[in-house]
Amino acid sequence: MRLIAHHILACHAKGCTSNNFPLKFSDVESQNAEAEFSPDFLKGFYPKIEWNVLITTAKEKFIKFGEVSLPEEQPNLEDLDEETLKKIHHVLLEIDVITGKMSCPNCGHIYPIMSGIPNMLLAEHEIA
Amino acid sequence: MPTSVTSTTVNSDAEAYEEEHVHAIYDQIASHFSSTRYKPWPIIAKFLDSLPSGSIGLDSGTGNGKYLPLPLDRPNSICTIGLDRSRNLLKFARQAGGKKRDVIWGDVLDLGWRTGIFDYAISIATIHHLASSSRRRQAVETLIRSVSPSHGRILIYVWAVEQDGLSKRSIPPEENSTGIGRDVFVPWILNQSPENEERSHNPSVFNRYYHMFVEGELENLVQDAVANLGMVVGSAKSSVERRGVEILQNGWERSNWYIELKRWQV
């Protein structure tokens, strides 16, 4: 599971409708997955990026770029330079989480990741 | 090999019925099924090709992920995330087209992501596996809620009662027409040894449940889903309402009914 999916996923357990994003990682094993750099994609996706989530994610200890230092404030779209775009590209599209857990910041529900696939299924009594 | 479908009746809880007659089967036939599903249908390819670069979308019921690499002439310009109930099919989807893909093990009725985050959603040959009309409507509602309220686009394909001559399947004779489709079993003939030896009583034929849609049924389902969400069907111009869903195209192709939708708000 690449981190772009983490930027999308939210808890959907019964009654959990606020503060349910982002899910919090734990026990993560990841690997680098090189992906073709596509500035057009990133610029289009840019308005959907929650900057605080991105910089928090970029500081996760399983990120393997060396230092992924992103500015604390989100740059305007037109001010984005290639270096920053490449860092965003790396964080969102080049880290593949193979195993781990994601827990909801609100209700604590845990979504496991196995063989690179996040399990978002809920038991019947947990469904909203 | 020509196969034929047989009528069935959903005689238990719809969810349990799907578990037995859809999910369990796809997990067992995943490998063989995936090897037969590689050709994208033209209207779906065209839909994906029309999306602006930077779009992110959901393929709800992605199967082996054959639509995840599209558009082929603009790779990496959009990102489609594939969702399926079959974990074994997702193993194929995760590497569809030889590249790393983003997949989710989940249910098409659930909304396990930021509401309205997707620019588009497709649901191809999936909703016809849901075993009650309310569950089919709920799946459409999930698609609508998943895409952007201002511009989200949706394409849905379901299997039609009305089959063309090229189709390999023969349909049981028409009963009285009610505007509601037919619940049928569609056999899958496994041409290789089954992955699960427990099914030794009849290892090679798997009857998958389908609800075959009649003409107009998919559009009615969309109408019900939109109304249930407190929105209107129609164009933004012709309405006094603030949020709605416009039907952009609605038709039949290759034994399937399809409908394309676009959300709007003013």
Side-chain angles (χ1 to χ4, degrees):
Chain A
M1 187 197 90
R2 298 190 297 178
L3 295 183
I4 191 165
H6 172 257
H7 220 86
I8 298 292
L9 294 175
C11 183
H12 61 114
K14 199 172 189 172
C16 193
T17 52
S18 61
N19 189 32
N20 56 352
F21 167 85
L23 302 174
K24 187 172 167 43
F25 280 118
S26 60
D27 304 331
V28 167
E29 281 180 40
S30 68
Q31 62 187 32
N32 279 17
E34 213 166 292
E36 206 173 307
F37 179 55
S38 172
D40 285 349
F41 172 74
L42 291 168
K43 286 177 185 167
F45 184 70
Y46 196 68
K48 293 198 171 69
I49 292 179
E50 291 288 330
W51 195 254
N52 283 333
V53 175
L54 186 77
I55 55 177
T56 308
T57 311
K59 288 174 187 159
E60 291 275 4
K61 53 185 178 296
F62 58 86
I63 304 286
K64 297 162 182 165
F65 193 76
E67 290 286 304
V68 181
S69 54
L70 289 161
E72 291 295 314
E73 298 252 323
Q74 179 164 19
N76 291 324
L77 182 58
E78 55 270 23
D79 297 336
L80 276 175
D81 56 35
E82 184 163 304
E83 194 195 349
T84 307
L85 270 178
K86 280 193 167 156
K87 286 176 181 170
I88 298 170
H89 167 76
H90 178 68
V91 174
L92 290 178
L93 297 167
E94 293 196 313
I95 309 291
D96 192 20
V97 176
I98 305 301
T99 60
K101 292 173 188 158
M102 294 181 291
S103 59
C104 173
N106 181 44
C107 75
H109 188 89
I110 290 174
Y111 298 92
I113 305 162
M114 290 169 291
S115 308
I117 302 173
N119 178 358
M120 297 302 288
L121 291 169
L122 297 173
E124 201 169 341
H125 65 278
E126 299 164 336
I127 293 168
Chain B
M1 183 186 309
T3 52
S4 59
V5 306
T6 49
S7 293
T8 184
T9 306
V10 179
N11 54 7
S12 61
D13 171 67
E15 199 177 345
Y17 196 83
E18 292 159 19
E19 180 57 41
E20 181 180 357
H21 298 291
V22 181
H23 308 147
I25 291 178
Y26 277 111
D27 265 340
Q28 290 180 85
I29 67 174
S31 177
H32 182 223
F33 178 85
S34 181
S35 70
T36 65
R37 293 294 188 278
Y38 48 87
K39 218 173 166 180
W41 292 342
I43 288 175
I44 302 158
K46 198 174 160 194
F47 174 85
L48 293 168
D49 198 39
S50 72
L51 298 161
S53 293
S55 300
I56 187 156
L58 173 71
D59 182 2
S60 181
T62 194
N64 69 342
K66 72 173 173 175
Y67 293 107
L68 302 184
L70 269 54
L72 290 178
D73 59 354
R74 210 162 29 105
N76 310 309
S77 63
I78 66 173
C79 177
T80 309
I81 294 182
L83 174 134
D84 208 275
R85 255 318 271 266
S86 166
R87 203 178 152 76
N88 288 344
L89 280 173
L90 286 177
K91 289 175 192 164
F92 293 94
R94 187 167 140 73
Q95 48 186 341
K99 291 260 170 68
K100 193 78 63 171
R101 306 294 170 192
D102 305 288
V103 300
I104 299 167
W105 190 18
D107 193 294
V108 298
L109 271 61
D110 297 341
L111 200 141
W113 36 84
R114 295 157 65 192
T115 303
I117 190 69
F118 292 109
D119 299 298
Y120 62 96
I122 60 173
S123 175
I124 311 303
T126 299
I127 289 172
H128 57 210
H129 284 312
L130 296 168
S132 74
S133 60
S134 67
R135 287 171 66 78
R136 293 188 284 271
R137 191 200 67 230
Q138 205 185 323
V140 175
E141 288 175 25
T142 296
L143 292 173
I144 295 170
R145 292 168 60 217
S146 296
V147 299
S148 159
S150 64
H151 64 265
R153 287 171 59 190
I154 298 168
L155 183 64
I156 303 170
Y157 262 71
V158 291
W159 213 33
V161 167
E162 300 81 359
Q163 297 281 300
D164 69 9
L166 296 169
S167 176
K168 294 190 190 95
R169 319 215 183 254
S170 56
I171 308 304
E174 190 70 49
E175 292 151 26
N176 56 338
S177 110
T178 55
I180 300 169
R182 320 262 289 275
D183 289 330
V184 297
F185 277 144
V186 181
W188 183 270
I189 315 291
L190 198 62
N191 294 329
Q192 58 192 43
S193 61
E195 288 158 39
N196 187 344
E197 298 296 335
E198 279 172 34
R199 291 225 157 206
S200 55
H201 56 280
N202 194 355
S204 59
V205 180
F206 295 88
N207 279 317
R208 288 169 299 160
Y209 166 80
Y210 277 72
H211 176 81
M212 301 173 82
F213 281 65
V214 292
E215 181 166 16
E217 190 179 3
L218 180 58
E219 185 178 342
N220 287 338
L221 195 66
V222 167
Q223 299 268 7
D224 290 349
V226 172
N228 220 30
L229 293 171
M231 292 185 245
V232 291
V233 174
S235 70
K237 282 179 204 133
S238 65
S239 176
V240 293
E241 301 290 334
R242 293 179 55 240
R243 299 189 310 150
V245 174
E246 185 174 3
I247 298 174
L248 297 184
Q249 51 171 340
N250 185 11
W252 180 95
E253 186 205 34
R254 299 177 181 212
S255 308
N256 286 271
W257 293 107
Y258 66 89
I259 196 162
E260 181 182 345
L261 311 171
K262 184 173 185 169
R263 282 191 69 172
W264 54 263
Q265 63 180 6
V266 288

